[in-house]
Amino acid sequence: MSVATERAVLQQNRSPRGERVLRALRTPSGAIFVLVAVLFVAVLAANPSFGEPGSLIRFIGRTAPIAIAAIGQYFVIVSGEFDLSMGSVVTAQVIIAGNLIGQDESRTLPVLALMIVFGAFVGLVNGLVTTLLKVPSFIVTLGTMLALLGLVLFWTGGAATGNPADSFRQIGRGGIQDIPVLEVLPYPVILLAVVAGAAFWLMRRPYGRTLVAVGDNPHAAALTGAPVWWIRTRAFMLSSLAATAAGVILVGYAGVHPSVGQGYEFTAITAVVLGGVVLGGGRGWVLSAAAGAFALELLFTLLNFLGVESTWRDSVQGAIIIVAVAAASRNWQRKRRGASTQAHDEHRPIAAPTPAPGTEGGT
Amino acid sequence: MNRLTSTHIVYLVALVTIIAGTVLVGTTGRNFFSAGNISDILTGTSILGFIAIGQTLVILVGSLDLSVPYVISLSSLVGAGIMANQAGNILPAALLALLVSALIGLANGAVVAGLKVHGFIATLGMGLIVSGYLGSTYQGSAGQAPLAFRLIGATGIGPVPVSTLIMLACAAVVLVMLNTTRLGHAMYAVGGDAPVARMSGVRTRTPVIAAHVICSTMAGLAGLLLAARLGVGSPTIGSQGGYDLLSIAAVVLGGTLLAGGKGSLVGTLGGVLIFAMLDNIMSVLQVNPFLKDVVRGIVIVVAVAVYARRRTAQRPARFGRGPTRPGDTAPPPGPGASRQGNGPARGDGTDARNEVPA
């Protein structure tokens, strides 16, 4: 990188806040927020009552499990791997809750602890097999997905029954009553806010920075002394724990059913990719992944209000994903390194006209 | 030992599976090598085999195809729908079904190569589009395959079913294409390193598009074969089988790198054979259907783990044996190397810091 380019990057990073935000909105990770806003306006136009605080907060509550799953999947994808076992983890946790808690309120906390340990364990296995045995994560998590679902269905005989105690289901269904404007603040919304906040904080910590570096170039990260295997393994554990949280919410929402987590991994990956995170790792922002989940749910809501037949929803979803990712990939290609954009943009040579004093044209 | 490429190991694993199968099936008082059982196993290879052949090409060029289950369903519906129990319609129906499949593959390839969308997303999206069409157009199974067509799925030469023979013929054609033609070499080149291939004068889009078209056409063939077996077309036949992920697993089990550029079709066939034998053994032993998935999942991971650290089978050398590159999978960072690496990095950092205030 030439000196002039470095200077241009510096100038850019010191530009006023408004300008920097505008520039961020032009990257795929920022554009998702524009997409969410556009979809939101479209839904409002189709059904004005959607904008009331009460129904809005319930919409956020409905989206919480998939947004939490997308945040978990983000950690794995940004580190350059895949987690296909997410849907099976959700199903397994839902069935564990249904069968072990039963109607016994006193078991809620021990079983919740067990679910968290189980989630972390699945992630640990995925991570260790991927990193230490060098099996591609696509294959590892595919194996976990088949094995976990098979085990759970074998345990319950294929027809999962059981209904956990009401206190446990309240996590997914209930909320804090008598809030002034919103009427009710659902627990899933609080959980989502906590998870999003924690993820945002974590990605600014050394761990988050190293995770992105590992996803961008694992060899370079290893040479700087990062324990690549342990960083990736922790990403898998975070992903499975996020799936556990999504499962806990879904028990309250959807009840106990073996197909409750079906396809969750693909929805989560879709949300993450819609959020501008690049498959292969090293690019993207964690909150954009959550925004991707909201974009997907808003899209479904819009199709619902427009009266599109539910069978065509898949087609529209598929077309939107392809178009959005195609647009994003053009954008990433134009600006190779995300954050420092214009300096690398061949079409806007801001670096060239201002060579640094004392250098020969900045080479 | 280091001479063993992954293809050899796949067939060693297959051999172990045969021995285990002989013993396990023997304990139930039946013969693993009876004509009926061999015919069962080979029948089991045909459907997954078709899909895995195509999937191998797609993975070799560095993409993925998750849309195969929906292409299979669509092809079975188009085929059986047009045949409508008239023997005269077999040829046009089959051709049209394959044409539709090839067009989906063309769209996949165009999105992956032209718009630079990751194959995972492009084919996931295309699969969703087709699945939406299937769900809105067909309520359940439709069409009717005539008897002459159904015989393809039912007859065999000796213990070898016709469907397996067709699959092996397709594999042979694709194998020749991969190893001797310009297109085949270009596929390896593009999958290995697309920018380098482009700078060497290879058209990088053509191999990707061709791989997707062939893969979808193969899926279409599998769909027609399923229609021949069932006698009708069904909108859920593809997604029920989970053929997308299973075929990818078979390809990786066969030693092809998921990142593309290295691998062999022969290995893939070995992977398919292992899956088919595994299914057969578990069916004979009457294993609980849910536990079958558990076994399958564990076998996939363990088998790939066995040779994940080994050299992958590369394409046959064209200019004699080149020097083998030692340690091309793992970087050789000894403690000394990393210390060396740290030095300049720290120097750069201080330089930059000095420069900021200037």
Side-chain angles (χ1 to χ4, degrees), chain B residues 30-49:
Chain B
R30 293 167 68 173
N31 185 2
F32 188 67
F33 294 103
S34 66
N37 205 39
I38 288 182
S39 167
D40 268 1
I41 294 174
L42 290 179
T43 309
T45 60
S46 56
I47 301 277
L48 190 60

Side-chain angles (χ1 to χ4, degrees), chain B residues 10-357:
Chain B
V10 175
Y11 282 94
L12 278 181
V13 173
L15 194 66
V16 171
T17 319
I18 291 178
I19 296 171
T22 315
V23 174
L24 285 173
V25 173
T27 55
T28 63
R30 293 167 68 173
N31 185 2
F32 188 67
F33 294 103
S34 66
N37 205 39
I38 288 182
S39 167
D40 268 1
I41 294 174
L42 290 179
T43 309
T45 60
S46 56
I47 301 277
L48 190 60
F50 278 116
I51 304 158
I53 292 171
Q55 195 75 257
T56 308
L57 297 182
V58 172
I59 291 181
L60 268 183
V61 299
S63 183
L64 276 179
D65 196 345
L66 297 178
S67 66
V68 278
Y70 307 102
V71 176
I72 292 171
S73 305
L74 186 64
S75 156
S76 80
L77 282 165
V78 169
I82 293 179
M83 281 177 203
N85 213 0
Q86 301 292 316
N89 288 346
I90 291 180
L91 194 64
L95 287 180
L96 196 72
L98 292 183
L99 181 70
V100 170
S101 312
L103 282 179
I104 295 176
L106 187 67
N108 277 337
V111 172
V112 172
L115 300 178
K116 305 277 179 236
V117 176
H118 195 291
F120 187 98
I121 293 298
T123 57
L124 183 67
M126 194 62 71
L128 283 173
I129 293 176
V130 178
S131 126
Y133 171 76
L134 288 174
S136 352
T137 316
Y138 298 96
Q139 309 305 323
S141 40
Q144 173 76 49
L147 186 65
F149 189 66
R150 272 183 277 163
L151 281 179
I152 297 176
T155 49
I157 300 168
V160 185
V162 173
S163 52
T164 309
L165 288 177
I166 301 176
M167 189 271 285
L168 287 176
C170 288
V173 171
V174 172
L175 193 65
V176 169
M177 188 275 290
L178 261 185
N179 286 347
T180 61
T181 67
R182 176 188 295 234
L183 180 65
H185 293 308
M187 280 182 182
Y188 278 104
V190 169
D193 196 326
V196 169
R198 194 176 59 78
M199 285 185 275
S200 317
V202 176
R203 286 181 197 281
T204 50
R205 288 178 187 175
T206 321
V208 176
I209 294 176
H212 273 288
V213 170
I214 296 174
C215 179
S216 287
T217 313
M218 286 292 178
L221 268 177
L224 284 175
L225 187 59
L226 280 170
R229 267 190 210 158
L230 291 178
V232 291
S234 154
T236 55
I237 186 79
S239 35
Q240 270 170 359
Y243 290 116
D244 44 353
L245 297 175
L246 268 189
S247 63
I248 294 173
V251 171
V252 176
L253 199 61
T256 301
L257 271 193
L258 206 47
K262 287 180 184 176
S264 77
L265 191 63
V266 182
T268 298
L269 292 179
V272 172
L273 185 64
I274 293 173
F275 273 135
M277 288 194 294
L278 214 59
D279 268 3
N280 175 268
I281 295 168
M282 289 192 291
S283 299
V284 173
L285 296 180
Q286 293 179 329
V287 176
N288 179 301
F290 300 123
L291 281 186
K292 273 188 192 175
D293 269 347
V294 180
V295 175
R296 245 187 242 159
I298 293 172
V299 166
I300 293 171
V301 176
V302 170
V304 176
V306 168
Y307 56 78
R309 287 160 174 278
R310 282 186 185 282
R311 229 159 55 84
T312 324
Q314 305 187 0
R315 66 174 174 75
R318 290 167 72 197
F319 307 109
R321 282 190 180 278
T324 50
R325 285 180 298 163
D328 60 351
T329 50
S338 72
R339 209 174 302 130
Q340 274 175 349
N342 273 342
R346 205 178 296 128
D348 274 355
T350 45
D351 281 353
R353 219 175 297 135
N354 287 341
E355 230 168 78
V356 171

Side-chain angles (χ1 to χ4, degrees), chain A residues 75-76 79-81 123-135 137 207 210-211 213-215 217-238, chain B residues 309 331 333:
Chain A
F75 289 108
V76 176
S79 80
E81 306 285 348
L124 185 71
V125 170
N126 280 340
L128 289 183
V129 175
T130 302
T131 52
L132 296 188
L133 296 182
K134 310 258 186 232
V135 180
S137 58
Y207 172 72
T210 324
L211 188 71
V214 164
N217 189 339
H219 295 278
L223 288 175
T224 58
V228 173
W229 69 274
W230 178 226
I231 284 179
R232 278 193 168 146
T233 303
R234 276 185 285 173
F236 278 103
M237 290 169 75
L238 287 172
Chain B
R309 287 160 174 278

Side-chain angles (χ1 to χ4, degrees), chain A residues 47-347:
Chain A
N47 182 2
S49 69
F50 183 76
E52 286 163 19
S55 72
L56 202 58
I57 202 79
R58 269 193 290 277
F59 167 76
I60 297 176
R62 254 199 329 274
T63 315
I66 186 66
I68 290 175
I71 289 174
Q73 186 74 249
Y74 165 85
F75 289 108
V76 176
I77 288 187
V78 89
S79 80
E81 306 285 348
F82 281 103
D83 189 355
L84 298 182
S85 67
M86 205 164 222
S88 288
V89 174
V90 170
T91 307
Q93 300 287 21
V94 164
I95 289 179
I96 288 177
N99 280 272
L100 292 189
I101 295 181
Q103 290 304 319
D104 191 350
E105 304 260 333
S106 65
R107 287 202 212 152
T108 301
L109 281 181
V111 172
L112 198 58
L114 174 81
M115 288 164 71
I116 291 172
V117 170
F118 179 69
F121 175 73
V122 173
L124 185 71
V125 170
N126 280 340
L128 289 183
V129 175
T130 302
T131 52
L132 296 188
L133 296 182
K134 310 258 186 232
V135 180
S137 58
F138 197 94
I139 297 299
V140 178
T141 52
L142 172 62
T144 329
M145 166 184 159
L146 288 174
L148 204 55
L149 195 63
L151 267 183
V152 168
L153 290 181
F154 176 66
W155 176 37
T156 57
T161 48
N163 204 1
D166 273 348
S167 65
F168 188 76
R169 299 195 68 168
Q170 279 301 314
I171 303 176
R173 309 186 145 161
I176 300 169
Q177 302 291 336
D178 302 329
I179 304 282
V181 189
L182 304 172
E183 300 159 36
V184 60
L185 185 61
Y187 293 126
V189 175
I190 302 174
L191 196 58
L192 173 63
V194 169
V195 169
F200 177 77
W201 174 76
L202 189 62
M203 289 314 287
R204 298 181 84 91
R205 301 274 308 146
Y207 172 72
R209 304 293 193 201
T210 324
L211 188 71
V212 177
V214 164
D216 201 7
N217 189 339
H219 295 278
L223 288 175
T224 58
V228 173
W229 69 274
W230 178 226
I231 284 179
R232 278 193 168 146
T233 303
R234 276 185 285 173
F236 278 103
M237 290 169 75
L238 287 172
S239 168
S240 293
L241 286 173
T244 306
V248 170
I249 295 176
L250 281 173
V251 173
Y253 250 94
V256 178
H257 194 267
S259 72
V260 76
Q262 208 173 37
Y264 233 71
E265 61 281 346
F266 286 125
T267 318
I269 293 175
T270 306
V272 171
V273 173
L274 264 186
V277 182
V278 176
L279 288 180
R283 302 273 184 291
W285 189 37
V286 61
L287 294 188
S288 299
F294 277 94
L296 265 187
E297 280 295 320
L298 277 171
L299 183 69
F300 293 147
T301 314
L302 180 64
L303 293 177
N304 210 4
F305 285 149
L306 291 181
V308 175
E309 257 184 87
S310 63
T311 45
W312 279 111
R313 242 178 255 175
D314 277 353
S315 295
V316 177
Q317 188 193 351
I320 296 262
I321 298 168
I322 294 180
V323 170
V325 176
S329 88
R330 295 183 82 85
N331 220 335
W332 277 127
Q333 274 164 359
R334 213 143 36 86
K335 309 171 191 140
R336 266 280 150 68
R337 298 284 150 175
S340 51
T341 51
Q342 283 176 348
H344 299 267
D345 195 340
E346 292 164 29
H347 307 290

